[in-house]
Amino acid sequence: MADITKDMTIGEALRINADIAPVLMDIGMHCLGCPSAQGETLEEAAMVHGIDVNDLMAKIAAV
């Protein structure tokens, strides 16, 4: 399985590992299927939601 990086879009990350969806939902990223999920990186989404990207990536890596 490929590693998920902060530079991937939300959609790319979900295609690699759909099990990260609850992690994203828990931090307020409820629009996982919307168009912005296909163009917004995990880093950009973390910034928009006021979340430290390193904390997000640690939670994703723990899945």
Side-chain angles (χ1 to χ4, degrees):
M1 183 177 291
D3 288 334
I4 295 174
T5 67
K6 65 183 180 180
D7 299 324
M8 288 182 172
T9 65
I10 296 167
E12 288 172 326
L14 287 167
R15 282 189 291 279
I16 289 171
N17 185 354
D19 292 337
I20 68 166
V23 171
L24 301 176
M25 296 287 286
D26 285 346
I27 62 169
M29 294 181 190
H30 299 141
C31 190
L32 301 181
C34 71
S36 64
Q38 300 308 310
E40 189 172 58
T41 67
L42 290 168
E43 185 171 33
E44 291 166 338
M47 183 177 61
V48 167
H49 290 275
I51 303 205
D52 181 270
V53 70
N54 295 316
D55 290 343
L56 173 60
M57 297 312 296
K59 289 178 182 181
I60 287 172
V63 172

